[in-house]
Amino acid sequence: MNAKVKDILKAIQADIATLAQLVFDTDSISNNTKVNKNTLKDSQLAKDVEVKVQETGNPIIEVLFNHYIVYLEWNRPPKYKKQPPIDALKDWAVKNGIPDDNETLWKISYAIWRDGHQARPITATLITNIEDKFDKEYFDMIFEALIDDLLNFFTD
């Protein structure tokens, strides 16, 4: 892999991190319909996004999210199976200034179970935005970097 391709991969890595933050900042995607507010903009989920590039023969770009993104992207129907465990809500409650006693956490857990919640298409939106960026920018950049190697090979 030549230096130009490595530079392009670093640029893609930075752009993906930026695109992820833009998804969290976008109210139409990250809005929590129960409170009618974007609750993901400055969330721990947004802060902990990690983008890694594995520079192997075929480079791999990984975007890592906290495990609970699955619950945010899932459209939970009302009264679906069991209530969420209250210990899963404790850190969130403390961060948001909500009392973290068992009674309060149980009420929140019950409300989630009773009402369900609407899915937020975080990764689907991010993938679409990344694909657009590849179509408009990255493919040409990568092609030119690879062609450079071929041209240098045949001119030397």
PDB file of all heavy atoms in Angstrom, residues 40-64:
ATOM      1  N   LEU A  40     -29.303  12.506  21.625  1.00  0.00           N
ATOM      2  CA  LEU A  40     -28.036  11.862  21.263  1.00  0.00           C
ATOM      3  C   LEU A  40     -26.920  12.853  20.948  1.00  0.00           C
ATOM      4  O   LEU A  40     -25.763  12.465  20.864  1.00  0.00           O
ATOM      5  CB  LEU A  40     -28.250  10.933  20.061  1.00  0.00           C
ATOM      6  CG  LEU A  40     -29.234   9.794  20.272  1.00  0.00           C
ATOM      7  CD1 LEU A  40     -29.357   8.963  19.016  1.00  0.00           C
ATOM      8  CD2 LEU A  40     -28.815   8.937  21.448  1.00  0.00           C
ATOM      9  N   LYS A  41     -27.267  14.124  20.783  1.00  0.00           N
ATOM     10  CA  LYS A  41     -26.289  15.121  20.341  1.00  0.00           C
ATOM     11  C   LYS A  41     -25.022  15.141  21.204  1.00  0.00           C
ATOM     12  O   LYS A  41     -23.926  15.074  20.680  1.00  0.00           O
ATOM     13  CB  LYS A  41     -26.934  16.508  20.317  1.00  0.00           C
ATOM     14  CG  LYS A  41     -26.065  17.560  19.697  1.00  0.00           C
ATOM     15  CD  LYS A  41     -26.816  18.858  19.529  1.00  0.00           C
ATOM     16  CE  LYS A  41     -25.986  19.821  18.709  1.00  0.00           C
ATOM     17  NZ  LYS A  41     -26.748  20.948  18.254  1.00  0.00           N
ATOM     18  N   ASP A  42     -25.152  15.230  22.483  1.00  0.00           N
ATOM     19  CA  ASP A  42     -23.996  15.264  23.376  1.00  0.00           C
ATOM     20  C   ASP A  42     -23.955  14.018  24.255  1.00  0.00           C
ATOM     21  O   ASP A  42     -23.442  14.056  25.366  1.00  0.00           O
ATOM     22  CB  ASP A  42     -24.045  16.527  24.251  1.00  0.00           C
ATOM     23  CG  ASP A  42     -23.912  17.790  23.422  1.00  0.00           C
ATOM     24  OD1 ASP A  42     -23.052  17.813  22.522  1.00  0.00           O
ATOM     25  OD2 ASP A  42     -24.677  18.748  23.666  1.00  0.00           O
ATOM     26  N   SER A  43     -24.479  12.931  23.741  1.00  0.00           N
ATOM     27  CA  SER A  43     -24.598  11.703  24.532  1.00  0.00           C
ATOM     28  C   SER A  43     -23.256  10.974  24.636  1.00  0.00           C
ATOM     29  O   SER A  43     -22.318  11.235  23.875  1.00  0.00           O
ATOM     30  CB  SER A  43     -25.623  10.771  23.894  1.00  0.00           C
ATOM     31  OG  SER A  43     -25.134  10.301  22.648  1.00  0.00           O
ATOM     32  N   GLN A  44     -23.207  10.043  25.560  1.00  0.00           N
ATOM     33  CA  GLN A  44     -22.019   9.198  25.694  1.00  0.00           C
ATOM     34  C   GLN A  44     -21.836   8.366  24.434  1.00  0.00           C
ATOM     35  O   GLN A  44     -20.713   8.110  24.001  1.00  0.00           O
ATOM     36  CB  GLN A  44     -22.145   8.298  26.930  1.00  0.00           C
ATOM     37  CG  GLN A  44     -20.830   7.722  27.385  1.00  0.00           C
ATOM     38  CD  GLN A  44     -19.817   8.796  27.769  1.00  0.00           C
ATOM     39  OE1 GLN A  44     -20.127   9.730  28.484  1.00  0.00           O
ATOM     40  NE2 GLN A  44     -18.606   8.654  27.277  1.00  0.00           N
ATOM     41  N   LEU A  45     -22.933   7.964  23.818  1.00  0.00           N
ATOM     42  CA  LEU A  45     -22.862   7.202  22.573  1.00  0.00           C
ATOM     43  C   LEU A  45     -22.115   7.993  21.500  1.00  0.00           C
ATOM     44  O   LEU A  45     -21.231   7.466  20.829  1.00  0.00           O
ATOM     45  CB  LEU A  45     -24.279   6.857  22.087  1.00  0.00           C
ATOM     46  CG  LEU A  45     -24.378   6.020  20.824  1.00  0.00           C
ATOM     47  CD1 LEU A  45     -23.814   4.621  21.052  1.00  0.00           C
ATOM     48  CD2 LEU A  45     -25.825   5.924  20.374  1.00  0.00           C
ATOM     49  N   ALA A  46     -22.433   9.271  21.369  1.00  0.00           N
ATOM     50  CA  ALA A  46     -21.771  10.125  20.377  1.00  0.00           C
ATOM     51  C   ALA A  46     -20.297  10.322  20.719  1.00  0.00           C
ATOM     52  O   ALA A  46     -19.438  10.331  19.828  1.00  0.00           O
ATOM     53  CB  ALA A  46     -22.472  11.475  20.287  1.00  0.00           C
ATOM     54  N   LYS A  47     -20.000  10.463  21.990  1.00  0.00           N
ATOM     55  CA  LYS A  47     -18.612  10.707  22.414  1.00  0.00           C
ATOM     56  C   LYS A  47     -17.722   9.475  22.251  1.00  0.00           C
ATOM     57  O   LYS A  47     -16.518   9.612  22.052  1.00  0.00           O
ATOM     58  CB  LYS A  47     -18.583  11.160  23.873  1.00  0.00           C
ATOM     59  CG  LYS A  47     -19.185  12.528  24.081  1.00  0.00           C
ATOM     60  CD  LYS A  47     -19.263  12.881  25.547  1.00  0.00           C
ATOM     61  CE  LYS A  47     -20.001  14.203  25.718  1.00  0.00           C
ATOM     62  NZ  LYS A  47     -20.430  14.419  27.082  1.00  0.00           N
ATOM     63  N   ASP A  48     -18.316   8.307  22.339  1.00  0.00           N
ATOM     64  CA  ASP A  48     -17.516   7.078  22.331  1.00  0.00           C
ATOM     65  C   ASP A  48     -17.368   6.418  20.960  1.00  0.00           C
ATOM     66  O   ASP A  48     -16.784   5.344  20.859  1.00  0.00           O
ATOM     67  CB  ASP A  48     -18.124   6.062  23.303  1.00  0.00           C
ATOM     68  CG  ASP A  48     -17.925   6.459  24.753  1.00  0.00           C
ATOM     69  OD1 ASP A  48     -17.091   7.342  25.024  1.00  0.00           O
ATOM     70  OD2 ASP A  48     -18.614   5.889  25.623  1.00  0.00           O
ATOM     71  N   VAL A  49     -17.869   7.039  19.904  1.00  0.00           N
ATOM     72  CA  VAL A  49     -17.718   6.456  18.564  1.00  0.00           C
ATOM     73  C   VAL A  49     -16.226   6.386  18.234  1.00  0.00           C
ATOM     74  O   VAL A  49     -15.478   7.326  18.465  1.00  0.00           O
ATOM     75  CB  VAL A  49     -18.450   7.295  17.496  1.00  0.00           C
ATOM     76  CG1 VAL A  49     -18.122   6.796  16.095  1.00  0.00           C
ATOM     77  CG2 VAL A  49     -19.936   7.269  17.721  1.00  0.00           C
ATOM     78  N   GLU A  50     -15.841   5.237  17.702  1.00  0.00           N
ATOM     79  CA  GLU A  50     -14.437   5.029  17.360  1.00  0.00           C
ATOM     80  C   GLU A  50     -14.355   4.517  15.922  1.00  0.00           C
ATOM     81  O   GLU A  50     -15.100   3.617  15.538  1.00  0.00           O
ATOM     82  CB  GLU A  50     -13.851   4.005  18.325  1.00  0.00           C
ATOM     83  CG  GLU A  50     -12.371   3.956  18.371  1.00  0.00           C
ATOM     84  CD  GLU A  50     -11.883   2.990  19.453  1.00  0.00           C
ATOM     85  OE1 GLU A  50     -12.587   2.795  20.466  1.00  0.00           O
ATOM     86  OE2 GLU A  50     -10.803   2.415  19.248  1.00  0.00           O
ATOM     87  N   VAL A  51     -13.474   5.109  15.133  1.00  0.00           N
ATOM     88  CA  VAL A  51     -13.266   4.663  13.758  1.00  0.00           C
ATOM     89  C   VAL A  51     -11.827   4.164  13.652  1.00  0.00           C
ATOM     90  O   VAL A  51     -10.897   4.888  13.992  1.00  0.00           O
ATOM     91  CB  VAL A  51     -13.517   5.807  12.743  1.00  0.00           C
ATOM     92  CG1 VAL A  51     -13.353   5.296  11.316  1.00  0.00           C
ATOM     93  CG2 VAL A  51     -14.911   6.406  12.930  1.00  0.00           C
ATOM     94  N   LYS A  52     -11.674   2.928  13.212  1.00  0.00           N
ATOM     95  CA  LYS A  52     -10.352   2.310  13.092  1.00  0.00           C
ATOM     96  C   LYS A  52     -10.121   1.866  11.658  1.00  0.00           C
ATOM     97  O   LYS A  52     -11.048   1.420  10.991  1.00  0.00           O
ATOM     98  CB  LYS A  52     -10.237   1.082  13.996  1.00  0.00           C
ATOM     99  CG  LYS A  52     -10.269   1.352  15.465  1.00  0.00           C
ATOM    100  CD  LYS A  52     -10.117   0.040  16.232  1.00  0.00           C
ATOM    101  CE  LYS A  52     -10.068   0.258  17.724  1.00  0.00           C
ATOM    102  NZ  LYS A  52      -9.878  -1.018  18.440  1.00  0.00           N
ATOM    103  N   VAL A  53      -8.870   1.963  11.224  1.00  0.00           N
ATOM    104  CA  VAL A  53      -8.491   1.458   9.912  1.00  0.00           C
ATOM    105  C   VAL A  53      -7.442   0.373  10.116  1.00  0.00           C
ATOM    106  O   VAL A  53      -6.429   0.607  10.764  1.00  0.00           O
ATOM    107  CB  VAL A  53      -7.909   2.580   9.015  1.00  0.00           C
ATOM    108  CG1 VAL A  53      -7.410   2.007   7.698  1.00  0.00           C
ATOM    109  CG2 VAL A  53      -8.948   3.660   8.762  1.00  0.00           C
ATOM    110  N   GLN A  54      -7.731  -0.798   9.594  1.00  0.00           N
ATOM    111  CA  GLN A  54      -6.759  -1.885   9.602  1.00  0.00           C
ATOM    112  C   GLN A  54      -6.090  -1.898   8.237  1.00  0.00           C
ATOM    113  O   GLN A  54      -6.731  -2.186   7.234  1.00  0.00           O
ATOM    114  CB  GLN A  54      -7.437  -3.222   9.864  1.00  0.00           C
ATOM    115  CG  GLN A  54      -8.054  -3.350  11.233  1.00  0.00           C
ATOM    116  CD  GLN A  54      -8.720  -4.706  11.415  1.00  0.00           C
ATOM    117  OE1 GLN A  54      -8.451  -5.655  10.692  1.00  0.00           O
ATOM    118  NE2 GLN A  54      -9.600  -4.782  12.400  1.00  0.00           N
ATOM    119  N   GLU A  55      -4.815  -1.551   8.224  1.00  0.00           N
ATOM    120  CA  GLU A  55      -4.081  -1.469   6.962  1.00  0.00           C
ATOM    121  C   GLU A  55      -3.516  -2.840   6.604  1.00  0.00           C
ATOM    122  O   GLU A  55      -2.343  -3.119   6.795  1.00  0.00           O
ATOM    123  CB  GLU A  55      -2.976  -0.426   7.073  1.00  0.00           C
ATOM    124  CG  GLU A  55      -3.512   0.978   7.220  1.00  0.00           C
ATOM    125  CD  GLU A  55      -2.425   2.023   7.306  1.00  0.00           C
ATOM    126  OE1 GLU A  55      -1.256   1.719   6.982  1.00  0.00           O
ATOM    127  OE2 GLU A  55      -2.745   3.149   7.701  1.00  0.00           O
ATOM    128  N   THR A  56      -4.370  -3.676   6.078  1.00  0.00           N
ATOM    129  CA  THR A  56      -3.969  -5.003   5.628  1.00  0.00           C
ATOM    130  C   THR A  56      -3.926  -4.985   4.113  1.00  0.00           C
ATOM    131  O   THR A  56      -4.058  -3.917   3.503  1.00  0.00           O
ATOM    132  CB  THR A  56      -4.987  -6.051   6.124  1.00  0.00           C
ATOM    133  OG1 THR A  56      -6.278  -5.710   5.611  1.00  0.00           O
ATOM    134  CG2 THR A  56      -5.051  -6.094   7.641  1.00  0.00           C
ATOM    135  N   GLY A  57      -3.766  -6.147   3.492  1.00  0.00           N
ATOM    136  CA  GLY A  57      -3.778  -6.214   2.029  1.00  0.00           C
ATOM    137  C   GLY A  57      -5.031  -5.577   1.452  1.00  0.00           C
ATOM    138  O   GLY A  57      -4.993  -4.865   0.468  1.00  0.00           O
ATOM    139  N   ASN A  58      -6.154  -5.836   2.088  1.00  0.00           N
ATOM    140  CA  ASN A  58      -7.417  -5.185   1.761  1.00  0.00           C
ATOM    141  C   ASN A  58      -7.816  -4.399   3.002  1.00  0.00           C
ATOM    142  O   ASN A  58      -8.293  -4.994   3.967  1.00  0.00           O
ATOM    143  CB  ASN A  58      -8.510  -6.201   1.414  1.00  0.00           C
ATOM    144  CG  ASN A  58      -8.239  -6.913   0.117  1.00  0.00           C
ATOM    145  OD1 ASN A  58      -7.871  -6.295  -0.869  1.00  0.00           O
ATOM    146  ND2 ASN A  58      -8.403  -8.225   0.118  1.00  0.00           N
ATOM    147  N   PRO A  59      -7.625  -3.099   2.991  1.00  0.00           N
ATOM    148  CA  PRO A  59      -7.896  -2.305   4.205  1.00  0.00           C
ATOM    149  C   PRO A  59      -9.334  -2.470   4.689  1.00  0.00           C
ATOM    150  O   PRO A  59     -10.260  -2.595   3.899  1.00  0.00           O
ATOM    151  CB  PRO A  59      -7.649  -0.865   3.759  1.00  0.00           C
ATOM    152  CG  PRO A  59      -6.861  -0.968   2.510  1.00  0.00           C
ATOM    153  CD  PRO A  59      -7.186  -2.271   1.886  1.00  0.00           C
ATOM    154  N   ILE A  60      -9.476  -2.485   6.004  1.00  0.00           N
ATOM    155  CA  ILE A  60     -10.789  -2.615   6.632  1.00  0.00           C
ATOM    156  C   ILE A  60     -11.006  -1.387   7.505  1.00  0.00           C
ATOM    157  O   ILE A  60     -10.143  -1.027   8.303  1.00  0.00           O
ATOM    158  CB  ILE A  60     -10.863  -3.889   7.494  1.00  0.00           C
ATOM    159  CG1 ILE A  60     -10.668  -5.118   6.609  1.00  0.00           C
ATOM    160  CG2 ILE A  60     -12.186  -3.952   8.241  1.00  0.00           C
ATOM    161  CD1 ILE A  60     -10.501  -6.412   7.389  1.00  0.00           C
ATOM    162  N   ILE A  61     -12.162  -0.765   7.339  1.00  0.00           N
ATOM    163  CA  ILE A  61     -12.527   0.385   8.167  1.00  0.00           C
ATOM    164  C   ILE A  61     -13.645  -0.070   9.098  1.00  0.00           C
ATOM    165  O   ILE A  61     -14.683  -0.556   8.646  1.00  0.00           O
ATOM    166  CB  ILE A  61     -12.990   1.574   7.308  1.00  0.00           C
ATOM    167  CG1 ILE A  61     -11.867   2.000   6.363  1.00  0.00           C
ATOM    168  CG2 ILE A  61     -13.426   2.736   8.202  1.00  0.00           C
ATOM    169  CD1 ILE A  61     -12.273   3.016   5.332  1.00  0.00           C
ATOM    170  N   GLU A  62     -13.403   0.068  10.402  1.00  0.00           N
ATOM    171  CA  GLU A  62     -14.384  -0.326  11.405  1.00  0.00           C
ATOM    172  C   GLU A  62     -14.932   0.917  12.089  1.00  0.00           C
ATOM    173  O   GLU A  62     -14.168   1.814  12.435  1.00  0.00           O
ATOM    174  CB  GLU A  62     -13.748  -1.200  12.484  1.00  0.00           C
ATOM    175  CG  GLU A  62     -13.212  -2.519  12.001  1.00  0.00           C
ATOM    176  CD  GLU A  62     -12.528  -3.268  13.138  1.00  0.00           C
ATOM    177  OE1 GLU A  62     -11.623  -2.700  13.785  1.00  0.00           O
ATOM    178  OE2 GLU A  62     -12.920  -4.424  13.370  1.00  0.00           O
ATOM    179  N   VAL A  63     -16.236   0.944  12.281  1.00  0.00           N
ATOM    180  CA  VAL A  63     -16.867   1.995  13.068  1.00  0.00           C
ATOM    181  C   VAL A  63     -17.465   1.302  14.283  1.00  0.00           C
ATOM    182  O   VAL A  63     -18.317   0.428  14.147  1.00  0.00           O
ATOM    183  CB  VAL A  63     -17.954   2.742  12.264  1.00  0.00           C
ATOM    184  CG1 VAL A  63     -18.543   3.874  13.091  1.00  0.00           C
ATOM    185  CG2 VAL A  63     -17.392   3.268  10.947  1.00  0.00           C
ATOM    186  N   LEU A  64     -16.991   1.691  15.464  1.00  0.00           N
ATOM    187  CA  LEU A  64     -17.397   1.024  16.699  1.00  0.00           C
ATOM    188  C   LEU A  64     -18.281   1.943  17.533  1.00  0.00           C
ATOM    189  O   LEU A  64     -17.954   3.109  17.745  1.00  0.00           O
ATOM    190  CB  LEU A  64     -16.154   0.621  17.501  1.00  0.00           C
ATOM    191  CG  LEU A  64     -15.133  -0.229  16.733  1.00  0.00           C
ATOM    192  CD1 LEU A  64     -13.859  -0.391  17.538  1.00  0.00           C
ATOM    193  CD2 LEU A  64     -15.714  -1.579  16.373  1.00  0.00           C
TER     194      LEU A  64
END
